[in-house]
Amino acid sequence: TFLQRPGEGNVKRVSLIDGEGVGPYLTDSVQEIFQAAQVPVRFENIPMVEAKEMSINIEKQTLDKLHQNDVILKGPISNDDTLMWNNHEISKALEIYAYIVHAFTIPGVNTRHKDIDIVLIRENSEGEYASIEHELLPGVIESIKVITRESSLRIAEYAFEYALLSNRKKITVVHKANIMKLCDGEFLEAAREISIRYPTILYEEMIVDATCMNLATNPQAFDIMLLPNLYGSIIGSIIAGIVGGAGIAPGANIGRKYAVFEQGARHSGKELAFTGQANPTAFILSAVMMLRHLGLPFFAEQIQNSVFKTLEEQKIRTPDIGGNHHTADFTRRIIENLD
Amino acid sequence: NKDFMKDEQGNYLVTLLKGHGIGPEISRSVKQIFQAAGVPITWEEHEVYSRAMNKEGDLLSSETINSIRRNKVALKGPFMTPIGKGFRSLNVTLRKKLQLYANVRPCRTIKGIDNIYDNVDLVTIRENTEGEYMGLEHRVVPGVSESIKIISRRACLKIARYAFEYAIRNNRKRIIGVHKAGVMKKGDGLFLECLREINEEYPTIQYSEKQVDTMCMKLAMNPQDCDMMVMPNLYGDIVSDLCAGLIGGLGLTASGNIGAEAAVFEAVHGTAPDIAGKNLANPTALLLSGCMMLDHMELYDHGNTIRNAIYNTIEERDNLTRDLKGAGSTTLFTEAVIKRIENKT
Ligand SMILES: Nc1ncnc2c1ncn2[C@@H]1O[C@H](COP(=O)(O)OP(=O)(O)OP(=O)(O)O)[C@@H](O)[C@H]1O
Ligand SMILES: Nc1ncnc2c1ncn2[C@@H]1O[C@H](COP(=O)(O)OP(=O)(O)OP(=O)(O)O)[C@@H](O)[C@H]1O
Ligand SMILES: [Mg+2]
Ligand SMILES: [Mg+2]
């Protein structure tokens, strides 16, 4: 049983960002399912602003709007610069620093590797994404990666706390400290320090290239992975890939106050936008995570069960997992299976 | 590159660094198999020391470096860099002294090995001299560290040219430039710019670009659809190991480090001290690296003969070593390969 506090039956407000590419299909899917299940959530649409209409005012208005709700559901935003803000700016504005990808095997989704259940926790505020670059001389560019002790401690703390609260056994810290002795060294140092406070959780370190090799041969050996920013992007995509792809693995970003829910591997899948055949599984499961976060566990279970059932039936499937149906067909089937 | 050194008998001179741990055993296997295949090579064996040979902390004597410079080709087994300050890793020494700017790793599924992925046939070309691996780091204030990645037009053009040339010579059709230019707009942006420029001179090669994370996802899902990839240093390190994983690990992957003056081919796996001297080591990675070296020296027939004999031995699971779940040994496997070479000729 879940016991709510008096007065918690009010409708929850969530900011909704459609995103690009497959984004609008994904947000439509979730909205329809929520409506059918009568989830007490009201979405407030945050329109995307194109770079060509860029004006400081619009940007400020948008960010102000985002600050009104603690929770955001967001379709993927591409890396090319057509939009005036991007993932990184949203995270910065909302002080969100932990990026989570949950990659787990779902019955009915045929993959090469079986029995995977990995939670990846990635530092998402600095590292290579600091975007400090200069041209030193004509034709020579330096790009600077920044790692701070403060951010490293903060993400390590989050990871161990997560492990404790989700009853996970092992944390693998991924690094390249043999080459980047100071930066990745700082990251490792922080993780070691925090790990001492959690003696029940197994602590392990692994070099990033070896990690990739092990993921290809024996991904079952991983439980929680803790990584700096860029390795997180790469390995997050690999683990999403081995459980079925960007359309399967859910993800979220979280900080002290705000949380953003989205696909675990943030790929916009522009080519799928034309066919309408995006797989909304990752996005719906991310919305399910959001429902738990909002204290609506009943709706979370109900929708999750229906998604799993629909996938296991293998009747209605999008092309990425071997079918030829559209996002809308899959959504309809999930609604039928809601019981 | 035709002017490789020869001895009086007309055999090519090649520098051999046998290495530590299992290095000597797998080097012996290579020598025996090459001899059986009639490869016209005379090996010049050189030591790698366990104490520094000069101020820089190199483990190679200058004679060894000169031998490689002179011969222009070397084959090298796995090495252990002694722990402690004052040593420079062997790879770094070779890369710096010989300006080996391209690391090439072909990864191809070998039949007969129980594997999760099949029909993999990939080549990663990695820029080997700059990027994140220059050791440019500093602590700005306590608790804040910076690491600098350098991308230069000169190095990018060189690696780009090498990649397209490789594609032509090896009959490869597609090259993907792997990057993260959405984030590192200037650095990785420059890398891509250079690839595009060189691509114009090679209109028959299909060129496209992918972000490194997207690329890795694709490799983890459908590696059979990919062909050649070229990328800056760190991504190359990561992606090439991922590719090795796709074909079953480093024990089966060949690798070459190429420069304008010389090329060093190597097994990228470790020294495996636990099985050293026990006749259990799998020589496949060093053998395939040796075959890559033969291709590089344009001894294509010899390369193909040996490669086919290896593939055939593995496919028929004839005396495979323990790491491949066989019951053979280094020597038995070597004999099995030699038997196939002799039957062929
Ligand atoms: N400091 C910064 N300020 C503004 N924009 C930035 C900054 N750092 C990165 N960006 C921009 O953010 C985008 C990268 O962030 P984003 O989270 O979208 O990366 P991504 O590569 O898609 O995510 P992932 O790392 O998960 O693949 C790029 O478009 C880049 O231009
Ligand atoms: N919801 C989804 N369902 C199925 N496949 C998806 C989904 N989202 C993304 N993909 C797939 O993921 C792969 C990578 O996507 P994409 O090419 O857009 O990545 P990207 O390099 O991150 O580009 P961008 O930065 O523009 O997002 C594509 O094959 C795409 O179709
Ligand atoms: Mg992306
Ligand atoms: Mg490596």
Side-chain angles (χ1 to χ4, degrees):
Chain A
T1 42
F2 172 78
L3 193 62
Q4 86 278 12
R5 258 187 292 257
E8 280 192 350
N10 56 352
V11 171
K12 307 279 194 287
R13 296 194 325 184
V14 171
S15 301
L16 183 71
I17 301 174
D18 274 341
E20 300 172 90
V22 297
Y25 292 92
L26 306 180
T27 50
D28 275 357
S29 172
V30 163
Q31 281 174 287
E32 281 167 35
I33 293 168
F34 275 28
Q35 192 167 33
Q38 297 184 312
V39 179
V41 161
R42 198 174 79 228
F43 287 113
E44 290 179 39
N45 231 334
I46 312 275
M48 305 284 294
V49 186
E50 300 236 349
K52 52 182 186 289
E53 327 166 353
M54 174 142 73
S55 100
I56 305 295
N57 266 337
I58 302 179
E59 179 180 30
K60 187 162 176 334
Q61 272 173 24
T62 314
L63 291 176
D64 284 350
K65 266 198 194 155
L66 278 178
H67 280 111
Q68 282 165 16
N69 300 316
D70 299 345
V71 173
I72 295 130
L73 185 65
K74 170 178 142 316
I77 298 178
S78 167
N79 274 352
D80 49 29
D81 289 320
T82 52
L83 291 168
M84 81 161 280
W85 35 259
N86 54 45
N87 296 323
H88 192 82
E89 268 148 50
I90 294 173
S91 297
K92 215 161 47 178
L94 303 179
E95 290 179 52
I96 280 174
Y97 58 85
Y99 185 137
I100 287 91
V101 181
H102 187 191
F104 55 101
T105 305
I106 304 179
V109 180
N110 301 324
T111 50
R112 299 170 200 264
H113 300 277
K114 313 283 174 228
D115 305 317
I116 292 163
D117 187 358
I118 304 175
V119 173
L120 174 141
I121 299 179
R122 155 184 178 194
E123 205 295 320
N124 200 205
S125 73
E126 54 181 30
E128 302 77 359
Y129 291 60
S131 284
I132 311 170
E133 294 190 293
H134 329 269
E135 184 160 25
L136 292 177
L137 340 151
V140 182
I141 308 285
E142 68 168 17
S143 312
I144 296 178
K145 154 171 166 174
V146 178
I147 296 230
T148 66
R149 179 171 155 77
E150 193 191 345
S151 304
S152 303
L153 283 171
R154 169 172 90 163
I155 194 74
E157 225 153 308
Y158 184 79
F160 278 94
E161 212 170 72
Y162 185 102
L164 191 76
L165 297 181
S166 60
N167 194 25
R168 294 212 167 227
K169 306 287 177 255
K170 183 173 78 173
I171 293 191
T172 307
V173 185
V174 179
H175 66 96
K176 189 83 196 175
N178 51 336
I179 300 291
M180 278 160 273
K181 296 193 170 68
L182 290 182
C183 277
D184 288 13
E186 187 90 70
F187 192 80
L188 275 185
E189 193 72 22
R192 284 178 197 159
E193 249 176 80
I194 304 292
S195 78
I196 293 169
R197 303 213 308 256
Y198 294 83
T200 57
I201 294 160
L202 222 68
Y203 174 79
E204 170 184 86
E205 294 169 358
M206 200 179 279
I207 298 184
V208 58
D209 41 353
T211 308
C212 290
M213 187 163 57
N214 291 334
L215 279 170
T217 51
N218 186 23
Q220 293 81 7
F222 294 94
D223 187 349
I224 290 188
M225 306 178 89
L226 168 63
L227 320 86
N229 216 340
L230 178 70
Y231 313 149
S233 169
I234 295 173
I235 293 193
S237 281
I238 296 180
I239 62 173
I242 59 181
V243 299
I248 294 294
N253 305 261
I254 196 157
R256 285 233 163 248
K257 182 158 171 14
Y258 298 96
V260 177
F261 294 85
E262 61 183 323
Q263 295 197 130
R266 314 194 266 214
H267 300 295
S268 59
K270 292 216 175 72
E271 83 279 7
L272 288 172
F274 300 107
T275 64
Q277 291 181 308
N279 188 343
T281 300
F283 199 68
I284 300 168
L285 291 177
S286 183
V288 163
M289 279 163 79
M290 177 184 84
L291 291 177
R292 295 202 185 96
H293 180 76
L294 289 170
L296 298 169
F298 164 78
F299 294 99
E301 291 312 304
Q302 189 194 16
I303 294 172
Q304 176 174 297
N305 290 341
S306 174
V307 171
F308 287 170
K309 184 170 168 196
T310 307
L311 287 168
E312 193 152 20
E313 287 173 347
Q314 298 196 335
K315 273 199 277 201
I316 310 286
R317 290 193 290 181
T318 46
D320 56 321
I321 52 171
N324 57 8
H325 293 92
H326 287 74
T327 315
D329 306 321
F330 189 74
T331 304
R332 209 170 305 120
R333 188 66 195 154
I334 291 174
I335 291 172
E336 284 166 14
N337 279 336
L338 274 174
D339 62 40
Chain B
N1 233 6
K2 268 295 197 188
D3 39 34
F4 292 105
M5 291 296 284
K6 286 186 180 170
D7 63 9
E8 296 91 45
Q9 283 82 44
N11 290 330
Y12 291 99
L13 285 164
V14 173
T15 311
L16 177 64
L17 306 171
K18 289 190 292 196
H20 306 135
I22 57 173
E25 297 161 72
I26 57 178
S27 300
R28 194 178 319 122
S29 165
V30 170
K31 288 198 283 186
Q32 289 166 350
I33 289 172
F34 274 39
Q35 186 170 25
V39 181
I41 280 182
T42 301
W43 303 99
E44 257 183 42
E45 293 188 22
H46 282 257
E47 268 315 301
V48 173
Y49 297 96
S50 51
R51 62 188 172 82
M53 282 292 110
N54 55 25
K55 285 203 299 297
E56 281 131 33
D58 296 345
L59 302 171
L60 291 176
S61 67
S62 46
E63 282 123 70
T64 309
I65 293 285
N66 289 339
S67 155
I68 301 176
R69 277 223 180 91
R70 202 171 47 239
N71 297 335
K72 301 186 184 67
V73 259
L75 183 66
K76 121 182 202 315
F79 279 88
M80 225 183 54
T81 303
I83 300 176
K85 284 206 168 57
F87 294 108
R88 185 150 81 167
S89 103
L90 189 67
N91 281 330
V92 174
T93 308
L94 288 170
R95 201 179 299 145
K96 287 226 160 113
K97 300 237 151 148
L98 302 169
Q99 280 299 310
L100 305 174
Y101 64 87
N103 179 264
V104 185
R105 279 223 216 154
C107 284
R108 194 169 130 188
T109 301
I110 301 180
K111 288 204 191 76
I113 291 168
D114 204 8
N115 220 340
I116 295 162
Y117 295 88
D118 42 31
N119 298 317
V120 174
D121 186 2
L122 300 162
V123 179
T124 14
I125 310 254
R126 162 186 177 192
E127 202 293 320
N128 220 1
T129 60
E130 55 177 27
E132 302 80 354
Y133 289 68
M134 301 186 73
L136 298 174
E137 278 193 302
H138 50 261
R139 186 154 283 147
V140 186
V141 292
V144 180
S145 297
E146 283 186 354
S147 165
I148 295 175
K149 154 171 166 174
I150 301 282
I151 300 262
S152 75
R153 195 174 147 75
R154 200 168 140 259
C156 293
L157 286 173
K158 249 160 89 174
I159 195 75
R161 163 104 37 218
Y162 182 80
F164 281 97
E165 279 295 321
Y166 184 98
I168 299 281
R169 264 188 292 116
N170 292 278
N171 200 21
R172 296 255 165 189
K173 305 283 177 256
R174 288 173 296 148
I175 295 184
I176 300 180
V178 179
H179 65 97
K180 193 75 188 171
V183 175
M184 279 156 277
K185 293 194 171 59
K186 291 187 184 154
D188 288 9
L190 176 59
F191 182 77
L192 290 181
E193 210 177 279
C194 294
L195 278 170
R196 289 174 200 159
E197 230 174 278
I198 300 291
N199 172 39
E200 297 205 341
E201 299 174 35
Y202 297 85
T204 57
I205 306 289
Q206 212 187 85
Y207 170 73
S208 60
E209 294 163 0
K210 254 198 192 354
Q211 302 192 70
V212 59
D213 49 331
T214 317
M215 186 75 237
C216 287
M217 183 166 84
K218 184 148 179 65
L219 288 171
M221 295 174 75
N222 300 308
Q224 69 282 358
D225 301 339
C226 305
D227 189 346
M228 264 184 78
M229 297 163 282
V230 55
M231 60 204 94
N233 215 335
L234 174 71
Y235 313 149
D237 190 11
I238 295 175
V239 171
S240 60
D241 272 16
L242 175 60
C243 293
L246 299 174
I247 62 163
L250 293 179
L252 302 168
T253 29
S255 162
N257 296 289
I258 320 285
E261 290 180 56
V264 178
F265 297 84
E266 62 175 343
V268 280
H269 57 66
T271 52
D274 52 323
I275 58 164
K278 295 187 182 156
N279 198 18
L280 295 172
N282 182 359
T284 304
L286 192 62
L287 279 165
L288 291 176
S289 304
C291 293
M292 235 179 120
M293 178 182 85
L294 295 176
D295 290 347
H296 177 80
M297 300 169 74
E298 300 184 1
L299 297 170
Y300 298 111
D301 288 346
H302 291 105
N304 287 334
T305 307
I306 298 173
R307 230 183 326 249
N308 289 337
I310 296 168
Y311 289 148
N312 195 254
T313 311
I314 295 180
E315 186 166 1
E316 290 171 13
R317 300 197 59 82
D318 186 356
N319 278 300
L320 299 192
T321 46
R322 231 171 37 178
D323 54 311
L324 300 180
K325 303 193 178 76
S329 63
T330 313
T331 43
L332 288 173
F333 177 77
T334 304
E335 282 163 22
V337 174
I338 289 175
K339 192 176 72 201
R340 284 171 177 76
I341 291 172
E342 282 168 352
N343 288 347
K344 184 90 198 301
T345 49

